[in-house]
Amino acid sequence: MDFRRLLLALSLSFIFIFVWQTIFMPQPEEQNATAVIAGTESASKVHNSTNSMNNAFDNNARLDSVQFDDAFNIKTNLVSVDLVNGGSSVSNLIVVEPDPSNQPDFKHTGSWNQNSQTYNDVPVQLMSEQKCNPCLLENGKIVVFNPEFTYSYDEQSASHTVISSNSSGIAKTTILHDNSYVVDHVFSSLNVANNYELLWGGGLEPTEKNIQEDLTWLSVFAENAKSYSEEIVGDENEIFAYSNVGWAGIKTKYFIKAITNQQYATNKTNKVSFESTKSTVIDGVDFLYTDINNEYGVGNENLYVYSYIGPIDTQHLSDSKTEHLVQLFGFGWFIIGYLAKLILWLLTSLYVFIPNYGIICILFAFIIRLFTGPLTKQSFLSNQKMQKVQPKMKKLQEKFKDDQTKLSQATMELYKKEGVNPLGGCLPILVQMPLLIALFQVFRKTIEFRGAEFLPFWITDLSQPDIIIQLPFMANIPGLGYFFGNGLALLPIIMGVIMFLSMQMTAVSSPDPSAKFAMYFMNGFFILLFNTFPSGLNLYYTVYNILNFLQQRQLKKIQT
């Protein structure tokens, strides 16, 4: 195989990955920007610093003076919820979804203690001591419900119902479901002459040990036509506003807090505003909380919305009430999106029979090699043909060195005579690019890898790099801090060695003295790049490259 073609193929792989990350990986945007949603006339958005526009959340200040009654706890199969304000508003929410492979354990663990500023191996807490989720605002004033309320549990529907009321006759029905992260919020007996708003305050608690992950992925989103618009929350106080939307919310890498209007396709909210404010400081990093304010306007006797506060898990989001939120996973466009959904389905289906995602990552490498192996063989044979005609190519280059037109014609005639396709070595690699990108998308973002253990003495969390050496001094070095801020991982080194052996095996025939430098450079660069990737993704790529190396060595033996 021609070394330069292998180098080109690897470069193309990197370009695809880099461009894909740039397009789909959330990136902090410039502050104090103002924008309008493109592609729709019905939805509009403004984004400004809170210092440069009137604060639409003056009601938040009034929360400090509002004292609600003691919390009422409801525990479902998935969450533990504390309700305040007469049982009408969610204050605390802890994810208690059990691990299917080990029932006594929780599936989602790892949470920050705001008081001690420590990260503990406890069930994920998405909301802590919040007051308004939601609060009803009547003509700008918070509606306080009576501390007495009624609670009932329906075994047939496996649902918990809390009915609250206030002195003016407004009623609130809150429904939690045992096997869903959805909470129904129904306000009734409203005065049509008044203006009503819903305030969702407090955002999402940090969930990742490396809090920078939460900061990098923290964003607000709102429905936009058949898709959605999304804005990354920066490190300053900001306000984002959208109009005429049926659903909206905030999300981090693995969790979301989404609010949807009943019959959202036709029942639109006049305006949804988001305010990010600096709040709790953990390990010297400001974590941003986001508030959501739904304005419904005049003339509504009933307000019916439902919230989803939980993991970005397509199995839970596929419910009829939340199927529109599945796209928040970010599968990708066109064929890549379909491939990503297929990969995620296969990933979770295999887990039913093999309750170890590390083993499944290795199995995926074998499965993908089964499909890409013939393409690799075709690429290898094509490059072998190209290598055999190189002596004749050099003669043509010497003969027509002063006439590029005749050289091109002679070259094409030579290719046709020898049955050589100059793109035959690259096309098979390009064909498999959508599959590799889809794998990259799923393995990099799936919540299934979060906290998943492969080996207890090595990879204990497939969503994080398999760090073997801590390098804290690297974190503050510009450039290198991004790659080595967490330390040095083992899998990228193993993968780099395999890539080096593959390049060395295929570069023997290359007389170009710069080839060796390029080979070392490419290996070093890929080690840097993959050092930040989740170990689940790197485990797959490492095994895949080992299988690729073994196939190349076998093909080389057959040819010689």
Side-chain angles (χ1 to χ4, degrees):
M1 184 184 292
D2 181 29
F3 169 75
R4 286 175 294 181
R5 293 185 178 276
L6 177 63
L7 185 61
L8 175 61
L10 291 172
S11 300
L12 288 172
S13 300
F14 165 72
I15 292 172
F16 266 85
I17 292 175
F18 179 80
V19 171
W20 196 259
Q21 276 189 276
T22 303
I23 295 175
F24 291 98
M25 175 76 173
Q27 298 291 335
E29 62 176 31
E30 293 183 4
Q31 303 300 317
N32 301 326
T34 301
V36 176
I37 296 177
T40 175
E41 295 179 357
S42 61
S44 65
K45 171 196 64 180
V46 296
H47 161 209
N48 284 287
S49 166
T50 56
N51 296 325
S52 62
M53 68 180 296
N54 293 329
N55 191 338
F57 295 85
D58 292 335
N59 292 290
N60 286 339
R62 303 179 188 178
L63 288 177
D64 295 334
S65 60
V66 174
Q67 296 297 322
F68 292 143
D69 47 284
D70 293 337
F72 176 70
N73 179 261
I74 295 178
K75 189 172 182 180
T76 71
N77 297 334
L78 302 179
V79 295
S80 176
V81 173
D82 286 340
L83 299 175
V84 295
N85 192 12
S88 68
S89 178
V90 179
S91 175
N92 298 300
L93 188 146
I94 299 174
V95 179
V96 296
E97 181 181 353
D99 186 341
S101 64
N102 191 354
Q103 288 298 326
D105 293 339
F106 294 108
K107 183 175 181 180
H108 303 294
T109 59
S111 187
W112 282 95
N113 185 309
Q114 299 285 16
N115 295 323
S116 63
Q117 297 186 13
T118 57
Y119 190 76
N120 304 309
D121 186 22
V122 296
V124 165
Q125 183 163 4
L126 297 180
M127 295 170 56
S128 176
E129 301 300 324
Q130 299 183 14
K131 289 186 176 181
C132 283
N133 286 278
C135 279
L136 180 68
L137 305 181
E138 186 177 38
N139 293 332
K141 296 182 179 180
I142 296 174
V143 174
V144 179
F145 288 92
N146 300 326
E148 296 81 15
F149 55 87
T150 61
Y151 165 79
S152 62
Y153 177 74
D154 187 338
E155 293 185 0
Q156 186 174 358
S157 61
S159 61
H160 307 255
T161 300
V162 175
I163 299 179
S164 314
S165 61
N166 79 331
S167 57
S168 62
I170 296 176
K172 163 70 190 304
T173 302
T174 305
I175 305 175
L176 288 82
H177 310 271
D178 273 347
N179 299 301
S180 173
Y181 287 97
V182 172
V183 180
D184 294 69
H185 306 274
V186 185
F187 295 88
S188 55
S189 300
L190 304 181
N191 187 336
V192 295
N194 294 335
N195 180 268
Y196 292 97
E197 301 169 324
L198 289 180
L199 176 65
W200 305 79
L204 289 172
E205 293 287 312
T207 61
E208 305 310 303
K209 188 173 185 179
N210 178 8
I211 206 168
Q212 187 60 39
E213 284 194 65
D214 280 315
L215 294 173
T216 301
W217 291 80
L218 181 63
S219 63
V220 301
F221 59 86
E223 177 197 20
N224 180 16
K226 294 182 179 180
S227 185
Y228 66 97
S229 296
E230 183 176 5
E231 294 291 329
I232 299 300
V233 177
D235 58 358
E236 293 183 4
N237 296 352
E238 298 173 288
I239 285 182
F240 304 85
Y242 301 82
S243 63
N244 195 39
V245 298
W247 49 272
I250 62 175
K251 74 185 185 78
T252 55
K253 183 176 182 179
Y254 294 116
F255 298 94
I256 59 174
K257 180 179 182 180
I259 292 85
T260 301
N261 297 348
Q262 184 195 35
Q263 300 178 350
Y264 65 87
T266 55
N267 183 21
K268 302 296 183 181
T269 298
N270 293 338
K271 186 173 70 173
V272 177
S273 302
F274 301 84
E275 181 189 34
S276 68
T277 55
K278 290 185 178 181
S279 183
T280 305
V281 177
I282 300 177
D283 289 348
V285 178
D286 293 331
F287 188 81
L288 306 174
Y289 292 86
T290 307
D291 297 333
I292 302 170
N293 179 29
N294 295 285
E295 295 182 7
Y296 287 81
V298 179
N300 295 288
E301 296 181 6
N302 298 283
L303 295 181
Y304 185 0
V305 300
Y306 44 87
S307 62
Y308 179 99
I309 306 172
I312 306 177
D313 187 330
T314 56
Q315 295 187 38
H316 287 293
L317 291 174
S318 297
D319 180 87
S320 59
K321 287 186 176 181
T322 54
E323 58 186 357
H324 55 282
L325 300 177
V326 172
Q327 59 186 306
L328 293 173
F329 182 89
F331 289 100
W333 297 335
F334 305 115
I335 189 173
I336 293 174
Y338 291 108
L339 287 172
K341 291 178 181 178
L342 177 62
I343 290 168
L344 184 58
W345 172 83
L346 183 58
L347 188 74
T348 54
S349 298
L350 286 173
Y351 188 76
V352 176
F353 306 99
I354 308 173
N356 187 310
Y357 277 115
I359 296 176
I360 293 175
C361 287
I362 295 174
L363 181 59
F364 253 93
F366 280 90
I367 294 174
I368 301 304
R369 284 303 304 169
L370 185 66
F371 288 99
T372 61
L375 294 175
T376 301
K377 181 178 180 180
Q378 181 182 344
S379 177
F380 177 86
L381 295 176
S382 178
N383 283 323
Q384 287 294 305
K385 289 182 180 180
M386 284 293 296
Q387 190 168 328
K388 288 180 181 179
V389 302
Q390 286 304 309
K392 296 181 180 180
M393 278 290 301
K394 290 181 179 179
K395 290 181 180 180
L396 292 177
Q397 289 171 355
E398 292 176 359
K399 182 178 180 181
F400 300 108
K401 61 181 179 180
D402 296 326
D403 194 333
Q404 288 296 320
T405 302
K406 290 185 178 181
L407 176 60
S408 299
Q409 293 175 349
T411 300
M412 296 304 296
E413 290 176 1
L414 176 63
Y415 286 160
K416 185 176 181 180
K417 179 180 178 182
E418 298 293 336
V420 174
N421 182 357
L423 299 178
C426 296
L427 283 178
I429 296 175
L430 292 176
V431 168
Q432 53 186 297
M433 273 300 138
L435 179 60
L436 297 180
I437 293 174
L439 276 162
F440 177 82
Q441 280 290 93
V442 174
F443 281 30
R444 184 167 173 79
K445 297 192 297 185
T446 177
I447 196 172
E448 301 300 332
F449 285 176
R450 186 182 185 276
E453 181 181 85
F454 173 44
L455 297 173
F457 55 86
W458 179 21
I459 300 176
T460 58
D461 188 345
L462 289 166
S463 69
Q464 299 297 321
D466 61 316
I467 301 299
I468 55 173
I469 300 177
Q470 298 290 338
L471 302 172
F473 62 92
M474 285 280 195
N476 297 322
I477 300 178
L480 291 179
Y482 172 80
F483 296 104
F484 293 106
N486 293 328
L488 185 65
L490 177 60
L491 282 172
I493 297 175
I494 298 175
M495 185 163 44
V497 171
I498 298 300
M499 290 175 59
F500 174 80
L501 293 176
S502 297
M503 290 179 176
Q504 194 175 49
M505 179 175 59
T506 57
V508 173
S509 60
S510 177
D512 188 354
S514 64
K516 183 175 291 187
F517 169 79
M519 180 168 59
Y520 290 137
F521 175 81
M522 286 295 295
N523 271 273
F525 191 83
F526 270 85
I527 290 174
L528 280 175
L529 182 67
F530 281 79
N531 193 66
T532 64
F533 288 175
S535 54
L537 180 66
N538 286 340
L539 181 62
Y540 160 78
Y541 276 129
T542 300
V543 177
Y544 182 89
N545 277 283
I546 291 174
L547 296 175
N548 184 63
F549 169 74
L550 294 176
Q551 183 186 24
Q552 287 183 3
R553 189 173 67 173
Q554 185 65 27
L555 289 172
K556 195 170 183 67
K557 285 182 179 180
I558 294 175
Q559 291 297 315
T560 55

